Amino acid sequence: MTDTIDRRQLLRGAAFAGGGLALAAWMPAWAQTNSAGIVRPLPTLSGVDITLRIARQTMTIDGRKMRAIGVNGTVPAPLLRLREGQKVRLNVVNDLDVDSSIHWHGLLVPPQFDGVPGVSFPGIKPRSSYLYEFPIRQSGTYWYHSHSGLQEQLGHYGPIVIDPAGPDPVQSDREQVIVLADHSPLSPDEIFRRVKVDPGHFNFQRQTLSGLLAGRDQPLKDRLDWGRMRMDPTDVLDVSGSTYTYIVNGLGPRDNWTALFKPGERVRLRIINASAMTNFNVRIPGLSPSIVQADGQNVHPVMVDEFQIGVAETYDAIVTPAEDKAYSIIAEAVDRSGMARATLAPRPGMAGEVPPLRKRPVATMKDMGMDMSSMPGMEGMDMSAGMTPPRGLDPSAEQNRSARLATPGGAMPQGSGAMPGMASGDMAGMDHSKMTGMSGQDGAMPGMDMGSMDMGSMKMRDFSNAPQVRKGPGVQTIAPMPIDRTGEPGQGLEDAGHKVLVYKDLMALERNPDVRAPSRSLDIHLTGNMERFMWSFDGEKMSDVHEPIPFIEGERVRINLINDTMMSHPIHIHGHFFELVTGHGDHGPRKHTVLVQPGGKVTWDFTADAVGDWAFHCHLLYHMAAGMMRVVSVRPKGEAA
């Protein structure tokens, strides 16, 4: 149902002041549709010479003033509209009393202009300026943000749209840029302090006794098992809607930012996730977007009803609303603790229906990297007792090769102890002799008690599964059986009831520029201790690693990202694009950021074609600040290794 907000409706609402408005005051902002909406196009800058001024300011979100850092007086920063093939000079003035910077996320630029203090340049000192100057070598949707401290959380980010030099293969009648973000009245330093002291500080959605008695979430046995391992199955986002307001183009759900269209138009939505800590599930009830671009790279159109967008990813979508009505643009936080909301409407002052928040996800054994259904010989098992339904392995030879490369000897990792939630009767349909990498009587795992399988005895920190990972308190778990999850829609969307985008749906519109087979493979483990809020690569945080990850100019390398944690991580590499290995051969989707699902694995190939030092990190801001970052060094071809 679509409503036009007018004076009569407001007066009618006032008549319920004795109860209705009192109740409305307690309703979450995303559920309130009493705003006439704000039609406010983003300020836009273009041309060869552009000046950007970084300064502290305030911003008003849903009527509440909050502290911010803006660029040219706005949050988000101005939209930079550029053209492929041009040169641009960006004079960045820092009016802060601390160092600052700008990183051009996804843009292929010389390393000295990449904007990462301590890696590629010294940063921009207070009350000084820095001139970024580089050619524009690509087209598509990108964004820019601070890489200094925690400034990005305060609003130091903005969109970039680069028009192609020739005809755009994506035709549209109108376009709208949508910048998703999260903002809090707490300072970023205070948020960081609180999660370091208590990683679950912002999680108000934990399991409760009343939920147990009502039969919700995990049964008692599973709760006890997870408790013994000190694992919280509701720990989906570290910072939640308990402190965040989720915003669109700097405006809150009650503000109701509105994008206009004419019925029948092809509207291009350029959607950017510029949040600090929030992965979103995006949908427009009543419309099925066609995904045409991912991370600025054109893909074959994919019609979906919803998609998950990780921090720092971008997706372009085409919608063609035929009716003269308003549609709600919903970006729901993956932990379902809140949502960003905007409106797509033919006229100002309209509002679409806003759906309620859906049931929040609860982590499963698959999110721990223990998906038994992926193991040969387990197909006949009853997986109902605390396990996820079988999904099977990717049948493509390329993916199977990736799995062998990522595991020493090509065998299934061995663990010790019991398998969770399984009684001896569940094993009846299994052929134990087919279990790759298992030995012992009847093909059973060494040390496994087939009649008494208690998750608490499962060995979740077996470093033999990841010998390169440094042992220490920063590594809470090693995923025993990580699997490729690029064919899955993401946490909480498994039973959405409609078409949800998965990475395997994406196929590059044009042939990849380098189709050589990789000459070597490199495993990188995403590691952490969720109880202590410690994050790292291969068990080593940035401050403890002095040597960069080395590459030689022009070499082709396969990277296997293995997520040993129960949390999704958006991983970003600077200066390069990579091709996801998802079975599309020389048309694998090219990206600069990929969301690695809990207990999962993502494989990508890339060409080290940009000489210099580059940042490589998780784009969850506080994970990066806690140490989940490394430097990648690409050395000239003639230089000795």
Side-chain angles (χ1 to χ4, degrees):
M1 182 177 179
T2 302
D3 296 312
T4 299
I5 307 300
D6 58 19
R7 184 171 177 271
R8 184 179 294 108
Q9 284 177 296
L10 292 177
L11 289 174
R12 186 183 302 124
F16 293 92
L21 288 183
L23 273 176
W26 291 98
M27 292 174 66
W30 52 263
Q32 299 183 32
T33 57
N34 59 343
S35 167
I38 298 175
V39 180
R40 182 190 298 168
L42 293 172
T44 302
L45 299 174
S46 60
V48 175
D49 289 288
I50 296 173
T51 297
L52 300 173
R53 187 175 297 273
I54 305 165
R56 294 194 180 276
Q57 63 175 79
T58 60
M59 62 186 297
T60 302
I61 302 174
D62 285 345
R64 184 179 184 182
K65 288 190 178 296
M66 298 191 193
R67 292 171 295 179
I69 292 178
V71 176
N72 292 13
T74 69
V75 176
L79 166 63
L80 302 183
R81 190 98 199 193
L82 307 172
R83 182 168 292 276
E84 182 182 15
Q86 78 163 93
K87 290 185 178 180
V88 66
R89 290 187 293 271
L90 295 140
N91 183 40
V92 178
V93 182
N94 179 15
D95 280 344
L96 302 175
D97 54 5
V98 294
D99 287 10
S100 193
S101 59
I102 291 183
H103 164 59
W104 317 99
H105 189 100
L107 267 60
L108 302 174
V109 302
Q112 68 270 28
F113 298 130
D114 190 50
V116 183
V119 175
S120 56
F121 89 135
I124 309 173
K125 298 298 179 184
R127 316 298 175 185
S128 67
S129 63
Y130 185 82
L131 182 65
Y132 294 84
E133 187 172 6
F134 47 83
I136 302 300
R137 300 168 50 192
Q138 63 212 90
S139 62
T141 302
Y142 304 95
W143 65 296
Y144 61 106
H145 60 86
S146 172
H147 232 290
S148 298
L150 305 174
Q151 295 172 11
E152 182 186 332
Q153 174 75 91
L154 282 166
H156 187 350
Y157 51 79
I160 301 173
V161 172
I162 304 175
D163 295 309
D168 194 330
V170 180
Q171 295 298 307
S172 62
D173 302 306
R174 187 191 297 250
E175 70 175 40
Q176 302 284 355
V177 177
I178 297 173
V179 182
L180 304 174
D182 42 29
H183 205 90
S184 171
L186 294 176
S187 73
D189 294 302
E190 179 60 18
I191 292 174
F192 195 27
R193 186 192 71 80
R194 293 191 188 189
V195 294
K196 289 291 287 182
V197 171
D198 173 19
H201 179 85
F202 295 104
N203 183 5
F204 286 14
Q205 300 189 104
R206 296 178 181 179
Q207 298 184 114
T208 62
L209 175 60
S210 62
L212 176 66
L213 296 176
R216 293 193 297 268
D217 303 328
Q218 291 181 320
L220 178 60
K221 180 184 182 302
D222 288 354
R223 294 191 189 203
L224 294 174
D225 286 341
W226 284 62
R228 279 194 291 271
M229 293 191 301
R230 299 195 176 191
M231 305 295 282
D232 182 357
T234 67
D235 191 2
V236 177
L237 290 177
D238 293 308
V239 190
S240 72
S242 63
T243 188
Y244 279 149
T245 299
Y246 300 112
I247 57 179
V248 176
N249 293 347
L251 297 170
R254 190 180 301 165
D255 294 327
N256 189 20
W257 181 82
T258 300
L260 300 179
F261 71 90
K262 293 180 180 178
E265 282 186 326
R266 282 173 56 88
V267 183
R268 182 174 187 166
L269 305 176
R270 298 180 181 265
I271 302 170
I272 300 164
N273 187 352
S275 67
M277 292 293 288
T278 309
N279 303 317
F280 289 104
N281 296 324
V282 180
R283 68 193 194 275
I284 307 175
L287 295 176
S288 295
S290 178
I291 304 298
V292 294
Q293 195 178 93
D295 285 358
Q297 306 297 296
N298 294 322
V299 297
H300 284 276
V302 182
M303 190 77 73
V304 299
D305 296 301
E306 186 170 6
F307 59 92
Q308 188 166 102
I309 182 169
V311 174
E313 289 188 301
T314 73
Y315 282 105
D316 284 26
I318 296 290
V319 294
T320 308
E323 297 183 61
D324 185 47
K325 60 177 286 187
Y327 300 86
S328 291
I329 301 171
I330 302 299
E332 191 177 45
V334 296
D335 70 340
R336 311 285 163 74
S337 62
M339 66 170 69
R341 167 238 179 168
T343 295
L344 184 64
R347 293 177 300 282
M350 301 181 72
E353 286 187 349
V354 180
L357 289 169
R358 294 172 292 186
K359 182 181 177 182
R360 59 104 165 87
V362 176
T364 67
M365 296 312 300
K366 181 182 284 190
D367 298 317
M368 278 193 182
M370 290 193 293
D371 180 23
M372 295 295 294
S373 65
S374 67
M375 299 174 62
M378 305 288 275
E379 297 85 352
M381 281 181 53
D382 176 6
M383 309 294 284
S384 61
M387 303 292 287
T388 53
R391 292 183 180 273
L393 288 174
D394 186 329
S396 73
E398 191 168 33
Q399 287 294 329
N400 289 337
R401 177 174 177 267
S402 299
R404 291 194 300 272
L405 284 171
T407 307
M412 189 67 67
Q414 294 187 25
S416 63
M419 292 297 165
M422 294 162 53
S424 57
D426 296 333
M427 312 293 284
M430 277 176 25
D431 180 357
H432 303 156
S433 65
K434 293 180 181 179
M435 294 185 185
T436 307
M438 297 183 183
S439 59
Q441 188 176 2
D442 298 325
M445 287 186 179
M448 179 186 286
D449 179 357
M450 304 297 277
S452 177
M453 297 193 155
D454 178 12
M455 189 172 78
S457 64
M458 183 68 182
K459 194 171 182 182
M460 290 297 299
R461 201 165 174 261
D462 186 354
F463 285 91
S464 66
N465 291 331
Q468 75 271 40
V469 173
R470 179 181 177 182
K471 296 181 181 180
V475 180
Q476 187 177 18
T477 56
I478 298 290
M481 290 169 281
I483 62 169
D484 173 18
R485 303 188 70 176
T486 56
E488 300 179 25
Q491 278 184 297
L493 294 176
E494 300 88 348
D495 302 313
H498 52 233
K499 171 60 182 174
V500 181
L501 182 75
V502 300
Y503 280 135
K504 288 188 177 182
D505 291 330
L506 300 175
M507 183 176 179
L509 190 62
E510 298 179 353
R511 190 171 186 253
N512 298 152
D514 190 346
V515 296
R516 294 176 297 159
S519 60
R520 65 185 176 102
S521 176
L522 178 65
D523 290 354
I524 297 175
H525 286 255
L526 317 182
T527 47
N529 187 322
M530 297 172 73
E531 190 184 18
R532 299 187 182 187
F533 204 78
M534 301 172 72
W535 303 100
S536 57
F537 287 132
D538 289 335
E540 296 182 299
K541 61 182 181 180
M542 176 73 171
S543 59
D544 294 337
V545 181
H546 303 292
E547 293 297 322
I549 302 173
F551 296 94
I552 300 299
E553 180 187 10
E555 74 168 322
R556 187 86 169 146
V557 183
R558 172 159 292 184
I559 304 294
N560 299 300
L561 298 176
I562 302 162
N563 190 352
D564 289 321
T565 78
M566 280 174 46
M567 187 165 285
S568 297
H569 296 281
I571 303 299
H572 172 52
I573 187 169
H574 289 222
H576 298 80
F577 278 86
F578 51 78
E579 293 83 49
L580 287 180
V581 180
T582 52
H584 293 298
D586 58 6
H587 281 72
R590 304 191 74 218
K591 298 185 95 274
H592 52 60
T593 306
V594 64
L595 189 62
V596 188
Q597 296 293 334
K601 178 171 59 179
V602 169
T603 296
W604 43 264
D605 296 341
F606 89 115
T607 302
D609 55 3
V611 173
D613 292 339
W614 306 95
F616 171 65
H617 59 91
C618 175
H619 224 290
L620 296 175
L621 183 62
Y622 301 109
H623 287 199
M624 180 175 64
M628 204 170 198
M629 178 174 174
R630 290 288 300 273
V631 174
V632 165
S633 183
V634 180
R635 303 171 183 174
K637 190 178 298 183
E639 186 176 306

